[in-house]
Amino acid sequence: MVDIVDINIKKLAESLSPLERKVLPYIQKYKFPEELAIVSGLKEVEVVRALQWLQNKQIIQLQIELKELIFLEENGKEYVRIGLPETRFIKALEKSQKSLSQLQDELSKEEINSCIGVLRSKNILEIKKDKELVFSLTKQGVEWLKKDLPEEKFLAKEFPVDNASLSSEEKEVLESLKKRKQIVSVVLKKIKKASLTPVGENLLQQKIEDNVIERLTPQILRDSSWKKKSFRRYDVSINVPQIHGGKLQVYRKFLDGVRKKFQTLGFQEMNGPLVESDFWDMDALFMPQFHSARDIHEAYYIKEPKFTEIDPKIIKHVKEVHENGSSTGSKGWRYQFDVQRTKRLLLRTQGTACSSRMLANPNLQIPGKYFGITRCFRYDVIDATHLPDFNQVEGIVIEEGLTIKHLFGLLKMFAKEFANTEDVRIVPGYFPFTEPSAELFAKHPDLGWVELGGAGMFRPEVVTPLLGKYVPVLAWGLGVDRLGMFNLEIKDIRNLFSHDLEFLRESRII
C-alpha cells in the first residue's frame, strides 16, 4: 500500500516552478539569498521570489536576522585603488626627508593634515621646523615600510563585511576608519535566512525533474514532444499575488457621482478661478472690508501678483451698496469703500465666489439652478474633520416667488441624496450675505452630528448690484468632503486624499 504522505510529497515535487527547482537543491548547504544567487546562476530577486513560494508551500522556513554590515564609501573605494594617504605619505619619505611643499605635489593638503596626526600617534613620523615643516621617518617608520598598515589589510577585504566576523584588532581599525571621511559605513540590515522544514527534507529525497512543461504551445502539440515530458502540477490552493485592477481614486469617483446627480436634478455647473479677488470672494457678497465677519475665512493672500483688474462698472455698483445701500432699501455699512483693496488676490475661501460671479454673468437664466464643485482654502487646524484645503458643493436657485420653505425642502433633499440619511437638523445660522440663514447637520454613525454646510437667501444687497434688480435667490454650500466621509464610511477626512496604496486598493467603490 502506497503511503499517502509519499503521494503528497510527489505532487508537491510536481508543482515546483522552474525557479524553485533551481534553488531548492542548494538550500541544505547555502542559507542566504546572495549565496543562493551565485550557486544557482539566478538573479537575487529571482531567488527571493523562489524562497517566498517555497515558504508558501511549507517547504522552507524564512527567518530574518539583523546584521551589521560594513560597506566601502566613495573615499574607501578610491583608497583601495591608489592606497591610503598615510601609506603614500610613508612611501614618499622612503628615500629621503621632504618638506611640506614637496609633499603637496603627491598628496592633497587635507590628506597631509590627516596623516600627520595618525602617523605621529604611531611614532612613525618625525617633524622638524626650518623655513617650513620638514618630515622624515623614524626607525619605527622605516620598519613600517616592510609591512602593510592594518588599515590597508582591512580595506583589502571583500565588502560588505559582517561586523560580527571581525577580530578585536580589526574592530579597533574599523573604529579608526569610521572617524574619517567617507571611507567606511556600518549599516544595520535585515537578512533573510532559509532553512528546510521536514517537508522540504522529504522533498529532496524525491527525484525533482528539470525537464517539465510549464505551458502547452502549438509547436509541442504538432511535434508530439509533450509525450516524452512531464507536466508541471498547478496548486490552485496556494497563495498567489493579488491583482489590483485600475480604477478611479475612490473620492474622485464619488465627486464625479455628485456632479452627475446634480446634472440629473436639472442643475447647470458653474466654475471660477482658484486664485480669486477680494471683490468676488467677499465684497460682492456684502461682507464689509474691515469687519470681523471676515475673520472666520482666514484667507491666504497672494504675494505676487498682489492685485487684479475688475470691471469698474460692477465695482461702482457694489461700492455704492457698501457705502449707502444704493437702491436696495438698505443703509449699507456706512464706510468709505477701498477700490484698490477689493482687487487683492487670494486663494478662494468659499465656493460662494462662483455664485457671485454667476449673478453678474450675462448668460444667467431666470428661473435657473446652478451648482459648482469648488476647491477652497482656509487656515485651519488639521484633525479628523478639518483640512486647510477642502472641497465645497456650492449652488444657487433663482426664481420669482421663492421662500425659506423652498430652501428647507432643498436641504432635506440634499441630505437624503448625498449623505444617505434622513436624520438631519436645520438650525439658525449667520452668514453676512444671506438673511435668513441656516446650517445643515446630519448624524454620522461614528462621528455623531456633523455640519454638512450652510445656506440661506441672498440679501438684496448681494443680488441687486450684480443682477441689476432683485430676484429671490436660494444659496447653499455643502462640505462635500464630509459628504464623502458619510458615503465612503471613512472616519478621518485625511484618508480622502491618502497616497497609501493599500488603503486605495481596499477602498470601497460606490
Side-chain angles (χ1 to χ4, degrees):
M1 185 175 178
V2 180
D3 193 332
I4 295 177
V5 174
D6 292 336
I7 295 175
N8 290 338
I9 291 293
K10 186 174 184 296
K11 288 181 178 180
L12 192 57
E14 293 172 353
S15 72
L16 297 177
S17 68
L19 294 181
E20 292 171 300
R21 293 170 190 273
K22 288 184 178 180
V23 170
L24 182 59
Y26 299 106
I27 293 179
Q28 277 186 319
K29 186 174 180 181
Y30 302 97
K31 307 296 181 185
F32 301 106
E34 297 88 347
E35 299 172 333
L36 290 167
I38 295 171
V39 296
S40 66
L42 297 174
K43 297 177 182 178
E44 190 171 328
V45 65
E46 293 175 322
V47 170
V48 171
R49 190 178 300 130
L51 293 177
Q52 290 172 339
W53 292 339
L54 289 169
Q55 181 174 240
N56 287 341
K57 295 172 182 174
Q58 299 180 350
I59 296 171
I60 67 166
Q61 183 178 5
L62 284 177
Q63 295 175 325
I64 303 296
E65 288 188 358
L66 288 176
K67 280 194 174 185
E68 279 192 337
L69 297 180
I70 306 163
F71 292 87
L72 273 183
E73 295 295 313
E74 184 178 348
N75 287 344
K77 293 174 183 177
E78 179 68 8
Y79 295 154
V80 169
R81 187 177 68 84
I82 65 174
L84 280 165
E86 51 265 43
T87 302
R88 289 182 282 133
F89 196 109
I90 294 172
K91 288 182 177 179
L93 303 176
E94 182 177 4
K95 295 181 179 179
S96 64
Q97 65 181 20
K98 287 188 178 180
S99 65
L100 178 62
S101 58
Q102 290 173 322
L103 284 172
Q104 286 177 346
D105 295 334
E106 302 181 39
L107 292 95
S108 69
K109 188 176 180 180
E110 184 179 349
E111 288 176 331
I112 291 173
N113 290 336
S114 67
C115 288
I116 291 173
V118 172
L119 297 178
R120 286 192 72 182
S121 67
K122 296 179 179 180
N123 196 26
I124 293 174
L125 190 65
E126 185 176 329
I127 304 174
K128 296 179 181 178
K129 191 170 184 181
D130 195 359
K131 293 181 181 179
E132 59 177 330
L133 294 178
V134 177
F135 303 94
S136 60
L137 294 178
T138 63
K139 290 182 180 180
Q140 191 169 341
V142 174
E143 291 299 318
W144 272 95
L145 282 171
K146 301 174 183 178
K147 56 183 180 180
D148 293 329
L149 290 175
E151 289 83 359
E152 291 277 2
K153 291 181 180 180
F154 190 90
L155 294 180
K157 288 179 173 288
E158 187 174 339
F159 288 86
V161 175
D162 186 354
N163 195 15
S165 67
L166 299 181
S167 65
S168 57
E169 292 81 5
E170 288 174 328
K171 287 184 178 180
E172 289 180 10
V173 174
L174 172 63
E175 291 302 315
S176 173
L177 291 175
K178 281 166 60 178
K179 295 174 183 177
R180 298 170 64 176
K181 187 177 180 182
Q182 292 186 339
I183 296 182
V184 293
S185 62
V186 180
V187 180
L188 187 64
K189 292 196 70 175
K190 292 181 179 179
I191 306 297
K192 289 183 178 179
K193 179 181 178 182
S195 58
L196 289 170
T197 64
V199 173
E201 291 173 355
N202 288 338
L203 183 61
L204 281 179
Q205 297 175 10
Q206 295 285 325
K207 182 182 179 182
I208 301 176
E209 296 185 22
D210 290 329
N211 195 21
V212 295
I213 295 177
E214 288 280 314
R215 63 174 66 89
L216 282 174
T217 64
Q219 179 62 34
I220 63 175
L221 288 174
R222 280 194 297 267
D223 60 21
S224 299
S225 58
W226 59 271
K227 294 180 179 179
K228 303 174 184 177
K229 297 181 180 180
S230 300
F231 286 88
R232 177 187 166 195
R233 180 184 294 273
Y234 285 91
D235 186 351
V236 294
S237 65
I238 201 69
N239 293 330
V240 295
Q242 189 175 354
I243 297 175
H244 300 280
K247 65 180 181 181
L248 284 177
Q249 198 271 356
V250 60
Y251 185 44
R252 170 59 188 273
K253 183 172 177 61
F254 172 76
L255 290 179
D256 289 345
V258 170
R259 176 178 285 106
K260 186 174 181 180
K261 189 167 287 189
F262 270 110
Q263 291 170 341
T264 303
L265 292 171
F267 285 81
Q268 298 181 56
E269 188 167 6
M270 57 184 180
N271 296 294
L274 286 176
V275 178
E276 189 55 276
S277 65
D278 242 340
F279 180 81
W280 294 111
D281 196 76
M282 300 187 200
D283 294 340
L285 296 169
F286 198 54
M287 296 174 66
Q289 291 180 315
F290 303 99
H291 195 274
S292 58
R294 295 196 179 205
D295 293 346
I296 62 173
H297 286 259
E298 295 189 324
Y300 293 102
Y301 282 91
I302 306 300
K303 286 186 177 180
E304 185 66 33
K306 197 170 184 178
F307 300 98
T308 187
E309 292 299 321
I310 302 168
D311 186 347
K313 292 181 181 179
I314 299 178
I315 292 181
K316 179 177 179 293
H317 296 319
V318 172
K319 178 177 182 292
E320 290 173 353
V321 170
H322 276 249
E323 292 179 346
N324 55 49
S326 187
S327 60
T328 62
S330 166
K331 292 183 179 181
W333 294 112
R334 300 284 181 162
Y335 74 98
Q336 185 65 40
F337 187 86
D338 189 335
V339 174
Q340 185 63 17
R341 182 187 177 93
T342 199
K343 297 178 182 179
R344 286 192 310 174
L345 289 171
L346 48 73
L347 294 181
R348 182 173 57 202
T349 68
Q350 56 182 343
T352 320
C354 296
S355 297
S356 61
R357 282 179 172 272
M358 196 69 233
L359 289 176
N361 193 317
N363 297 320
L364 176 74
Q365 297 177 4
I366 304 174
K369 297 185 291 186
Y370 297 90
F371 83 100
I373 299 177
T374 57
R375 189 178 180 191
C376 306
F377 304 84
R378 294 182 195 177
Y379 176 79
D380 209 338
V381 177
I382 298 175
D383 60 25
T385 58
H386 295 86
L387 289 174
D389 61 314
F390 55 95
N391 294 289
Q392 284 185 338
V393 173
E394 178 71 27
I396 56 174
V397 178
I398 180 168
E399 186 176 357
E400 296 286 355
L402 291 176
T403 67
I404 192 68
K405 288 186 177 181
H406 293 103
L407 178 64
F408 289 170
L410 193 67
L411 293 178
K412 289 178 181 178
M413 181 188 73
F414 288 162
K416 184 176 180 179
E417 289 288 332
F418 298 108
N420 294 321
T421 180
E422 295 186 11
D423 199 355
V424 299
R425 287 178 182 170
I426 300 174
V427 301
Y430 168 75
F431 302 101
F433 38 85
T434 56
E435 181 60 39
S437 303
E439 293 180 344
L440 176 64
F441 290 80
K443 195 168 186 180
H444 189 279
D446 296 308
L447 299 175
W449 288 99
V450 176
E451 181 187 357
L452 295 185
M457 300 190 70
F458 271 155
R459 297 172 61 145
E461 295 94 332
V462 174
V463 179
T464 304
L466 299 176
L467 189 60
K469 61 180 180 178
Y470 178 72
V471 178
V473 178
L474 307 181
W476 44 270
L478 304 178
V480 72
D481 295 342
R482 294 174 185 173
L483 288 174
M485 293 172 67
F486 267 83
N487 286 270
L488 302 172
E489 298 179 359
I490 290 174
K491 298 179 182 180
D492 193 322
I493 196 170
R494 288 165 287 196
N495 287 337
L496 293 176
F497 309 98
S498 173
H499 292 184
D500 182 2
L501 285 179
E502 190 65 27
F503 171 79
L504 294 173
R505 286 168 176 166
E506 299 299 326
S507 295
R508 182 171 61 94
I509 293 289
I510 60 170

